[in-house]
Amino acid sequence: MAKRPTSLPNIVINLDGSPADPIYRRLYDELRGAILAGKLVPGSRLPSTRELATDLGLSRTTVLNAFDQLIAEGYVEGHTGVGTYVSRALPEDLLHTRAKAAPLTKGSPAKRVLSRRGERLAATAVTLTQRNDKPRPFRSGIPALDLFPFATWARLTAQRWRNASYELLQYGDPAGYKPLRQAIAAYLGASRAVRCDADQVIVVAGSQQALEIAAQVLLDPGDAVWVEDPGYLGARGAMLGAGARLVPVPVNEEGLDVAEGIKRSAAAHVACVSPSHQFPLGMIMSVARRLALLEWAARSGAWIIEDDYDSEYRYSGRPVASLQGLDTQGRVVYIGTFSKVLFPSLRLGYIVAPPDLVDAFIKARAIFDRHSPTIEQSVLADFISDGHFARHIRLMRTVYAERQEALVKEIKKAGVFEVYPDEAGMHLVGWLPNEVSDVVAAQRAAEHGVDVGALSNYCLEQKMRSALILGYAAYDAKEIRKGVRQLAEALSQL
Ligand SMILES: Cc1ncc(COP(=O)(O)O)c(C=O)c1O
């Protein structure tokens, strides 16, 4: 369609455009553009619909539709018998500014004004990778998604939707769906020796939100926080986001070195630890260290955040109780997740808060995002109370133990690096010869079709031997065999 002069002074209407847009919409766009560009000034009269239809060779209905849209959005005012006028309510200076303004781009000043907290958050390293493909060996942190009983989950979900009560559909309790909180309290008491009642359990959107709530409620900008070195990036991110000053505390075979932490910052406000299965090295914090940590926290008034992220998977050795269960002074914030037993996209986890923090945590949770979806919480409560949760853990424990064994065997056979069996967890550490950079090794592995983590990426100050983090839970024996072959090939080229 060509550009058409009209009875509107100085206005040429161009009805070209996407064939997907109806013609009235293109006319509307042209008239709106002329108003915003100041070519049609407020108060000016538009030609009648009949006139414009003749000028443009359009049906009157098309023009009427365009006018109706402009009236509905307030660009023009129409009065029967009097005519249609550009609205005076649109201030002229705004129109002229718009006419001159360049489109907003990412770097334009109006987009750059962040709060200090916003700047901090934007600058904090976080994993944003979204995965759509089947997990490939040895991506870590992922359970065996193909072995999850989705038919059961679907049945329980359908059952809940069929009988969706008002309780499930309105705003829920920010602390979580009561039957789920009760089920979590019972499970943690029995299997992790956590001492709590259901009122201390707060259902959250995974461990990450638990860390975020704890950081925002317990820390002011500049406060010192002990973090394990090497340690979990998600914990560091949440602490940095709250403006905390990270104090790296080395871990050795007994876990976090408490004496070293006290030497570096006795007045720290918070210590983040993974005592049952240190992330990523896998050691258990010794009883002596646990007692020293609790003693320091009680004496100095510090809080301990205990991340019990993969405690369900212990294959041999004695069961390891939680640090929280040893705490008599109410200094431990215990956090756990369903990402490892169910699936990570569920975004459900929990905090067991010491009594003094329960109200503040629930309030913060409500402010951040009100609460987790109640239907999913109710399905999970059913999944636990019907015994599916315990059964799935039992099954996966056997499967993951076998997978770990297969990985150790294949690595030893290939002779690519040193690896030691672990009594727990879903990943192993493969120790490289020191002259090989783990970052380069991980890059080379990715080029050969395997995903591994580089230990040095989890280190702050501590200089560790080069090592790779290898998840095994999500991969069967065949995939593990092939993955190790690819890995050996990648490493042979270094
Ligand atoms: C140490 C540690 N904590 C917690 C999590 C779980 O995080 P989320 O519950 O936010 O999925 C992970 C996941 O990989 C982890 O490695």
Side-chain angles (χ1 to χ4, degrees):
M1 242 178 254
K3 295 181 177 183
R4 314 269 170 93
T6 63
S7 45
L8 288 163
N10 309 321
I11 306 258
V12 175
I13 298 284
N14 177 6
L15 294 175
D16 288 344
S18 157
D21 289 338
I23 294 180
Y24 92 86
R25 183 77 210 185
R26 297 185 225 166
L27 176 59
Y28 153 86
D29 281 340
E30 286 287 290
L31 292 171
R32 180 176 164 274
I35 294 170
L36 289 175
K39 290 182 191 162
L40 283 172
V41 295
S44 61
R45 187 173 193 275
L46 264 58
S48 72
T49 49
R50 205 179 302 277
E51 251 178 305
L52 205 53
T54 311
D55 285 351
L56 298 172
L58 300 174
S59 81
R60 193 160 159 245
T61 315
T62 302
V63 180
L64 270 171
N65 284 343
F67 274 37
D68 282 349
Q69 181 82 25
L70 290 166
I71 291 169
E73 292 180 9
Y75 290 104
V76 302
E77 290 161 7
H79 303 286
T80 326
V82 181
T84 308
Y85 293 83
V86 177
S87 294
R88 288 188 191 279
L90 284 169
E92 248 194 300
D93 51 351
L94 172 65
L95 299 185
H96 286 162
T97 316
R98 292 223 186 164
K100 276 183 259 139
L104 279 179
T105 56
K106 229 178 164 186
S108 66
K111 294 263 164 151
R112 250 189 279 125
V113 189
L114 296 183
S115 66
R116 283 202 199 106
R117 187 183 307 106
E119 294 282 4
R120 254 191 335 258
L121 288 170
T124 302
V126 66
T127 315
L128 294 173
T129 338
Q130 170 213 346
R131 306 287 194 174
N132 300 326
D133 51 341
K134 183 177 187 316
R136 62 180 199 177
F138 295 100
R139 200 177 289 164
S140 60
I142 307 166
L145 299 173
D146 51 341
L147 298 181
F148 184 74
F150 283 107
T152 305
W153 188 261
R155 181 173 53 75
L156 295 174
T157 305
Q159 228 168 45
R160 282 291 182 172
W161 276 122
R162 263 198 303 278
N163 307 309
S165 62
Y166 286 118
E167 186 192 11
L168 300 187
L169 299 174
Q170 302 185 75
Y171 290 116
D173 184 343
Y177 180 63
K178 188 82 185 198
L180 178 59
R181 296 169 74 197
Q182 287 163 337
I184 293 171
Y187 162 69
L188 293 177
S191 68
R192 308 290 308 121
V194 169
R195 288 195 288 198
C196 68
D197 58 45
D199 291 340
Q200 287 169 263
V201 176
I202 304 166
V203 178
V204 290
S207 320
Q208 196 56 40
Q209 191 180 47
L211 291 160
E212 167 72 2
I213 291 173
Q216 296 294 337
V217 173
L218 302 177
L219 293 166
D220 284 316
D223 286 350
V225 176
W226 293 3
V227 289
E228 294 174 324
D229 185 12
Y232 181 45
L233 302 181
R236 276 184 217 163
M239 303 303 131
L240 286 172
R245 184 167 58 81
L246 300 188
V247 178
V249 180
V251 291
N252 56 23
E253 59 293 345
E254 281 191 69
L256 180 109
D257 187 339
V258 179
E260 184 59 29
I262 294 173
K263 203 151 80 190
R264 291 185 182 199
S265 178
H269 284 67
V270 165
C272 294
V273 287
S274 47
S276 302
H277 190 235
Q278 202 275 335
F279 185 84
L281 296 179
M283 71 281 285
I284 300 169
M285 189 188 254
S286 68
V287 174
R289 291 266 172 96
R290 285 171 191 244
L291 295 174
L293 183 62
L294 289 169
E295 217 259 317
W296 162 75
R299 203 167 4 98
S300 66
W303 300 103
I304 300 167
I305 300 177
E306 175 178 18
D307 181 2
D308 211 11
Y309 65 105
D310 64 1
S311 58
E312 293 82 9
Y313 301 120
R314 175 149 287 284
Y315 313 115
S316 55
R318 64 199 155 79
V320 178
S322 64
L323 180 67
Q324 195 268 7
L326 272 184
D327 175 25
T328 52
Q329 306 295 310
R331 307 311 302 172
V332 176
V333 175
Y334 177 91
I335 67 180
T337 180
F338 290 105
S339 294
K340 313 283 172 188
V341 179
L342 290 103
F343 44 96
S345 71
L346 184 64
R347 305 315 304 143
L348 285 176
Y350 43 86
I351 303 178
V352 177
D356 284 349
L357 296 180
V358 171
D359 290 345
F361 277 14
I362 293 175
K363 202 66 185 291
R365 213 262 126 112
I367 291 167
F368 292 164
D369 67 337
R370 288 197 194 273
H371 61 81
S372 293
T374 313
I375 287 277
E376 267 86 356
Q377 292 189 67
S378 69
V379 173
L380 179 52
D382 297 344
F383 190 77
I384 297 174
S385 64
D386 292 359
H388 305 295
F389 183 73
R391 187 173 318 121
H392 187 57
I393 291 176
R394 263 199 319 277
L395 274 172
M396 290 309 101
R397 225 177 255 146
T398 312
V399 171
Y400 296 171
E402 284 166 9
R403 290 182 174 187
Q404 191 200 109
E405 210 180 304
L407 179 59
V408 172
K409 196 176 105 202
E410 291 300 327
I411 290 176
K412 291 207 162 139
K413 207 156 74 184
V416 278
F417 44 69
E418 269 173 61
V419 74
Y420 303 97
D422 192 334
E423 292 179 346
M426 299 162 72
H427 71 269
L428 287 178
V429 182
W431 299 97
L432 294 166
N434 230 351
E435 62 280 7
V436 174
S437 148
D438 51 16
V439 173
V440 173
Q443 269 164 6
R444 203 52 56 80
E447 289 157 18
H448 282 76
V450 272
D451 288 332
V452 292
L455 176 62
S456 58
N457 285 337
Y458 300 93
C459 295
L460 284 167
E461 286 176 357
Q462 181 150 228
K463 296 272 168 290
M464 306 250 356
R465 183 173 158 189
S466 269
L468 300 177
I469 312 296
L470 303 124
Y472 54 79
Y475 318 105
D476 64 24
K478 200 163 136 213
E479 289 168 312
I480 288 173
R481 224 173 299 129
K482 182 168 168 221
V484 171
R485 247 195 340 264
Q486 288 166 303
L487 192 54
E489 202 172 302
L491 298 181
S492 71
Q493 296 176 7
L494 289 173

PDB file of all heavy atoms in Angstrom, residues 77-100:
ATOM      1  N   GLU A  77     -10.588  12.631  21.597  1.00  0.00           N
ATOM      2  CA  GLU A  77     -11.906  12.645  22.236  1.00  0.00           C
ATOM      3  C   GLU A  77     -12.938  12.805  21.134  1.00  0.00           C
ATOM      4  O   GLU A  77     -12.746  13.624  20.233  1.00  0.00           O
ATOM      5  CB  GLU A  77     -11.993  13.836  23.201  1.00  0.00           C
ATOM      6  CG  GLU A  77     -11.114  13.648  24.415  1.00  0.00           C
ATOM      7  CD  GLU A  77     -10.823  14.956  25.141  1.00  0.00           C
ATOM      8  OE1 GLU A  77     -11.421  15.991  24.774  1.00  0.00           O
ATOM      9  OE2 GLU A  77      -9.980  14.920  26.047  1.00  0.00           O
ATOM     10  N   GLY A  78     -13.962  12.011  21.193  1.00  0.00           N
ATOM     11  CA  GLY A  78     -14.968  12.078  20.141  1.00  0.00           C
ATOM     12  C   GLY A  78     -16.309  12.507  20.714  1.00  0.00           C
ATOM     13  O   GLY A  78     -16.688  12.052  21.797  1.00  0.00           O
ATOM     14  N   HIS A  79     -16.941  13.439  20.054  1.00  0.00           N
ATOM     15  CA  HIS A  79     -18.280  13.871  20.483  1.00  0.00           C
ATOM     16  C   HIS A  79     -19.186  13.815  19.277  1.00  0.00           C
ATOM     17  O   HIS A  79     -18.881  14.422  18.252  1.00  0.00           O
ATOM     18  CB  HIS A  79     -18.243  15.297  21.034  1.00  0.00           C
ATOM     19  CG  HIS A  79     -17.273  15.429  22.167  1.00  0.00           C
ATOM     20  ND1 HIS A  79     -17.515  14.933  23.411  1.00  0.00           N
ATOM     21  CD2 HIS A  79     -16.037  15.984  22.207  1.00  0.00           C
ATOM     22  CE1 HIS A  79     -16.468  15.183  24.190  1.00  0.00           C
ATOM     23  NE2 HIS A  79     -15.558  15.824  23.470  1.00  0.00           N
ATOM     24  N   THR A  80     -20.271  13.068  19.418  1.00  0.00           N
ATOM     25  CA  THR A  80     -21.180  12.902  18.287  1.00  0.00           C
ATOM     26  C   THR A  80     -21.662  14.273  17.815  1.00  0.00           C
ATOM     27  O   THR A  80     -22.044  15.120  18.614  1.00  0.00           O
ATOM     28  CB  THR A  80     -22.400  12.059  18.705  1.00  0.00           C
ATOM     29  OG1 THR A  80     -21.961  11.110  19.652  1.00  0.00           O
ATOM     30  CG2 THR A  80     -23.073  11.406  17.524  1.00  0.00           C
ATOM     31  N   GLY A  81     -21.562  14.457  16.522  1.00  0.00           N
ATOM     32  CA  GLY A  81     -22.074  15.686  15.927  1.00  0.00           C
ATOM     33  C   GLY A  81     -21.085  16.832  15.998  1.00  0.00           C
ATOM     34  O   GLY A  81     -21.233  17.832  15.295  1.00  0.00           O
ATOM     35  N   VAL A  82     -20.080  16.729  16.841  1.00  0.00           N
ATOM     36  CA  VAL A  82     -19.135  17.852  16.985  1.00  0.00           C
ATOM     37  C   VAL A  82     -17.813  17.523  16.289  1.00  0.00           C
ATOM     38  O   VAL A  82     -17.134  18.397  15.767  1.00  0.00           O
ATOM     39  CB  VAL A  82     -18.886  18.152  18.488  1.00  0.00           C
ATOM     40  CG1 VAL A  82     -17.935  19.326  18.645  1.00  0.00           C
ATOM     41  CG2 VAL A  82     -20.199  18.426  19.190  1.00  0.00           C
ATOM     42  N   GLY A  83     -17.457  16.262  16.276  1.00  0.00           N
ATOM     43  CA  GLY A  83     -16.200  15.870  15.634  1.00  0.00           C
ATOM     44  C   GLY A  83     -15.245  15.218  16.619  1.00  0.00           C
ATOM     45  O   GLY A  83     -15.562  15.039  17.796  1.00  0.00           O
ATOM     46  N   THR A  84     -14.095  14.860  16.093  1.00  0.00           N
ATOM     47  CA  THR A  84     -13.095  14.173  16.905  1.00  0.00           C
ATOM     48  C   THR A  84     -11.858  15.063  17.010  1.00  0.00           C
ATOM     49  O   THR A  84     -11.363  15.579  16.019  1.00  0.00           O
ATOM     50  CB  THR A  84     -12.724  12.835  16.236  1.00  0.00           C
ATOM     51  OG1 THR A  84     -13.938  12.114  15.977  1.00  0.00           O
ATOM     52  CG2 THR A  84     -11.840  11.995  17.118  1.00  0.00           C
ATOM     53  N   TYR A  85     -11.369  15.239  18.270  1.00  0.00           N
ATOM     54  CA  TYR A  85     -10.252  16.153  18.535  1.00  0.00           C
ATOM     55  C   TYR A  85      -9.128  15.422  19.248  1.00  0.00           C
ATOM     56  O   TYR A  85      -9.371  14.504  20.040  1.00  0.00           O
ATOM     57  CB  TYR A  85     -10.724  17.313  19.445  1.00  0.00           C
ATOM     58  CG  TYR A  85     -11.709  18.217  18.756  1.00  0.00           C
ATOM     59  CD1 TYR A  85     -13.065  17.888  18.704  1.00  0.00           C
ATOM     60  CD2 TYR A  85     -11.271  19.396  18.141  1.00  0.00           C
ATOM     61  CE1 TYR A  85     -13.966  18.689  18.056  1.00  0.00           C
ATOM     62  CE2 TYR A  85     -12.182  20.208  17.487  1.00  0.00           C
ATOM     63  CZ  TYR A  85     -13.528  19.853  17.444  1.00  0.00           C
ATOM     64  OH  TYR A  85     -14.422  20.656  16.796  1.00  0.00           O
ATOM     65  N   VAL A  86      -7.897  15.884  18.991  1.00  0.00           N
ATOM     66  CA  VAL A  86      -6.767  15.330  19.732  1.00  0.00           C
ATOM     67  C   VAL A  86      -6.904  15.770  21.192  1.00  0.00           C
ATOM     68  O   VAL A  86      -7.180  16.942  21.463  1.00  0.00           O
ATOM     69  CB  VAL A  86      -5.421  15.827  19.151  1.00  0.00           C
ATOM     70  CG1 VAL A  86      -4.248  15.299  19.972  1.00  0.00           C
ATOM     71  CG2 VAL A  86      -5.287  15.388  17.695  1.00  0.00           C
ATOM     72  N   SER A  87      -6.739  14.836  22.120  1.00  0.00           N
ATOM     73  CA  SER A  87      -6.979  15.136  23.543  1.00  0.00           C
ATOM     74  C   SER A  87      -6.073  16.256  24.044  1.00  0.00           C
ATOM     75  O   SER A  87      -4.880  16.278  23.726  1.00  0.00           O
ATOM     76  CB  SER A  87      -6.715  13.892  24.402  1.00  0.00           C
ATOM     77  OG  SER A  87      -7.649  12.919  24.100  1.00  0.00           O
ATOM     78  N   ARG A  88      -6.669  17.128  24.866  1.00  0.00           N
ATOM     79  CA  ARG A  88      -5.858  18.167  25.495  1.00  0.00           C
ATOM     80  C   ARG A  88      -5.134  17.603  26.715  1.00  0.00           C
ATOM     81  O   ARG A  88      -4.205  18.193  27.218  1.00  0.00           O
ATOM     82  CB  ARG A  88      -6.757  19.334  25.931  1.00  0.00           C
ATOM     83  CG  ARG A  88      -7.245  20.130  24.760  1.00  0.00           C
ATOM     84  CD  ARG A  88      -7.961  21.384  25.201  1.00  0.00           C
ATOM     85  NE  ARG A  88      -8.627  21.971  24.047  1.00  0.00           N
ATOM     86  CZ  ARG A  88      -7.993  22.721  23.152  1.00  0.00           C
ATOM     87  NH1 ARG A  88      -6.718  22.980  23.275  1.00  0.00           N
ATOM     88  NH2 ARG A  88      -8.650  23.219  22.127  1.00  0.00           N
ATOM     89  N   ALA A  89      -5.638  16.474  27.175  1.00  0.00           N
ATOM     90  CA  ALA A  89      -5.052  15.885  28.387  1.00  0.00           C
ATOM     91  C   ALA A  89      -3.610  15.426  28.158  1.00  0.00           C
ATOM     92  O   ALA A  89      -2.871  15.212  29.093  1.00  0.00           O
ATOM     93  CB  ALA A  89      -5.886  14.711  28.852  1.00  0.00           C
ATOM     94  N   LEU A  90      -3.218  15.278  26.901  1.00  0.00           N
ATOM     95  CA  LEU A  90      -1.829  14.889  26.636  1.00  0.00           C
ATOM     96  C   LEU A  90      -0.987  16.161  26.631  1.00  0.00           C
ATOM     97  O   LEU A  90      -1.098  16.966  25.727  1.00  0.00           O
ATOM     98  CB  LEU A  90      -1.723  14.226  25.257  1.00  0.00           C
ATOM     99  CG  LEU A  90      -2.223  12.796  25.137  1.00  0.00           C
ATOM    100  CD1 LEU A  90      -2.300  12.399  23.674  1.00  0.00           C
ATOM    101  CD2 LEU A  90      -1.311  11.848  25.886  1.00  0.00           C
ATOM    102  N   PRO A  91      -0.163  16.400  27.626  1.00  0.00           N
ATOM    103  CA  PRO A  91       0.576  17.652  27.691  1.00  0.00           C
ATOM    104  C   PRO A  91       1.517  17.809  26.498  1.00  0.00           C
ATOM    105  O   PRO A  91       2.196  16.872  26.124  1.00  0.00           O
ATOM    106  CB  PRO A  91       1.352  17.549  29.002  1.00  0.00           C
ATOM    107  CG  PRO A  91       1.340  16.121  29.362  1.00  0.00           C
ATOM    108  CD  PRO A  91       0.177  15.488  28.699  1.00  0.00           C
ATOM    109  N   GLU A  92       1.550  19.026  25.982  1.00  0.00           N
ATOM    110  CA  GLU A  92       2.326  19.258  24.768  1.00  0.00           C
ATOM    111  C   GLU A  92       3.812  19.027  24.964  1.00  0.00           C
ATOM    112  O   GLU A  92       4.480  18.457  24.114  1.00  0.00           O
ATOM    113  CB  GLU A  92       2.088  20.688  24.288  1.00  0.00           C
ATOM    114  CG  GLU A  92       1.330  20.672  22.983  1.00  0.00           C
ATOM    115  CD  GLU A  92       1.362  21.997  22.293  1.00  0.00           C
ATOM    116  OE1 GLU A  92       0.882  22.950  22.919  1.00  0.00           O
ATOM    117  OE2 GLU A  92       1.862  22.038  21.163  1.00  0.00           O
ATOM    118  N   ASP A  93       4.301  19.463  26.151  1.00  0.00           N
ATOM    119  CA  ASP A  93       5.749  19.318  26.337  1.00  0.00           C
ATOM    120  C   ASP A  93       6.152  17.847  26.330  1.00  0.00           C
ATOM    121  O   ASP A  93       7.192  17.462  25.815  1.00  0.00           O
ATOM    122  CB  ASP A  93       6.238  20.011  27.612  1.00  0.00           C
ATOM    123  CG  ASP A  93       5.420  19.613  28.831  1.00  0.00           C
ATOM    124  OD1 ASP A  93       4.389  18.938  28.633  1.00  0.00           O
ATOM    125  OD2 ASP A  93       5.819  19.967  29.946  1.00  0.00           O
ATOM    126  N   LEU A  94       5.256  16.986  26.885  1.00  0.00           N
ATOM    127  CA  LEU A  94       5.542  15.553  26.868  1.00  0.00           C
ATOM    128  C   LEU A  94       5.626  15.060  25.419  1.00  0.00           C
ATOM    129  O   LEU A  94       6.511  14.320  25.029  1.00  0.00           O
ATOM    130  CB  LEU A  94       4.445  14.796  27.625  1.00  0.00           C
ATOM    131  CG  LEU A  94       4.524  13.283  27.528  1.00  0.00           C
ATOM    132  CD1 LEU A  94       5.788  12.771  28.188  1.00  0.00           C
ATOM    133  CD2 LEU A  94       3.308  12.634  28.147  1.00  0.00           C
ATOM    134  N   LEU A  95       4.675  15.566  24.615  1.00  0.00           N
ATOM    135  CA  LEU A  95       4.669  15.150  23.215  1.00  0.00           C
ATOM    136  C   LEU A  95       5.946  15.561  22.524  1.00  0.00           C
ATOM    137  O   LEU A  95       6.559  14.786  21.799  1.00  0.00           O
ATOM    138  CB  LEU A  95       3.472  15.778  22.488  1.00  0.00           C
ATOM    139  CG  LEU A  95       2.103  15.405  23.027  1.00  0.00           C
ATOM    140  CD1 LEU A  95       1.024  15.983  22.147  1.00  0.00           C
ATOM    141  CD2 LEU A  95       1.968  13.890  23.085  1.00  0.00           C
ATOM    142  N   HIS A  96       6.407  16.810  22.781  1.00  0.00           N
ATOM    143  CA  HIS A  96       7.612  17.267  22.097  1.00  0.00           C
ATOM    144  C   HIS A  96       8.836  16.516  22.577  1.00  0.00           C
ATOM    145  O   HIS A  96       9.704  16.183  21.807  1.00  0.00           O
ATOM    146  CB  HIS A  96       7.783  18.781  22.285  1.00  0.00           C
ATOM    147  CG  HIS A  96       6.785  19.521  21.439  1.00  0.00           C
ATOM    148  ND1 HIS A  96       6.440  20.824  21.627  1.00  0.00           N
ATOM    149  CD2 HIS A  96       6.044  19.083  20.392  1.00  0.00           C
ATOM    150  CE1 HIS A  96       5.516  21.172  20.727  1.00  0.00           C
ATOM    151  NE2 HIS A  96       5.270  20.121  19.975  1.00  0.00           N
ATOM    152  N   THR A  97       8.843  16.229  23.889  1.00  0.00           N
ATOM    153  CA  THR A  97       9.980  15.461  24.406  1.00  0.00           C
ATOM    154  C   THR A  97      10.020  14.121  23.695  1.00  0.00           C
ATOM    155  O   THR A  97      11.051  13.659  23.251  1.00  0.00           O
ATOM    156  CB  THR A  97       9.808  15.195  25.915  1.00  0.00           C
ATOM    157  OG1 THR A  97       9.379  16.379  26.503  1.00  0.00           O
ATOM    158  CG2 THR A  97      11.086  14.726  26.539  1.00  0.00           C
ATOM    159  N   ARG A  98       8.852  13.506  23.592  1.00  0.00           N
ATOM    160  CA  ARG A  98       8.806  12.194  22.942  1.00  0.00           C
ATOM    161  C   ARG A  98       9.253  12.287  21.502  1.00  0.00           C
ATOM    162  O   ARG A  98       9.918  11.421  20.986  1.00  0.00           O
ATOM    163  CB  ARG A  98       7.378  11.668  22.961  1.00  0.00           C
ATOM    164  CG  ARG A  98       6.952  11.354  24.343  1.00  0.00           C
ATOM    165  CD  ARG A  98       6.232  10.069  24.302  1.00  0.00           C
ATOM    166  NE  ARG A  98       5.681   9.804  25.610  1.00  0.00           N
ATOM    167  CZ  ARG A  98       4.754   8.919  25.808  1.00  0.00           C
ATOM    168  NH1 ARG A  98       4.263   8.246  24.806  1.00  0.00           N
ATOM    169  NH2 ARG A  98       4.311   8.693  27.005  1.00  0.00           N
ATOM    170  N   ALA A  99       8.835  13.411  20.837  1.00  0.00           N
ATOM    171  CA  ALA A  99       9.172  13.532  19.436  1.00  0.00           C
ATOM    172  C   ALA A  99      10.679  13.573  19.259  1.00  0.00           C
ATOM    173  O   ALA A  99      11.220  13.026  18.310  1.00  0.00           O
ATOM    174  CB  ALA A  99       8.539  14.799  18.864  1.00  0.00           C
ATOM    175  N   LYS A 100      11.368  14.221  20.253  1.00  0.00           N
ATOM    176  CA  LYS A 100      12.807  14.396  20.084  1.00  0.00           C
ATOM    177  C   LYS A 100      13.612  13.214  20.645  1.00  0.00           C
ATOM    178  O   LYS A 100      14.710  12.976  20.222  1.00  0.00           O
ATOM    179  CB  LYS A 100      13.233  15.680  20.806  1.00  0.00           C
ATOM    180  CG  LYS A 100      13.014  16.924  19.942  1.00  0.00           C
ATOM    181  CD  LYS A 100      13.506  18.157  20.660  1.00  0.00           C
ATOM    182  CE  LYS A 100      12.365  18.944  21.273  1.00  0.00           C
ATOM    183  NZ  LYS A 100      12.544  19.482  22.560  1.00  0.00           N
TER     184      LYS A 100
END
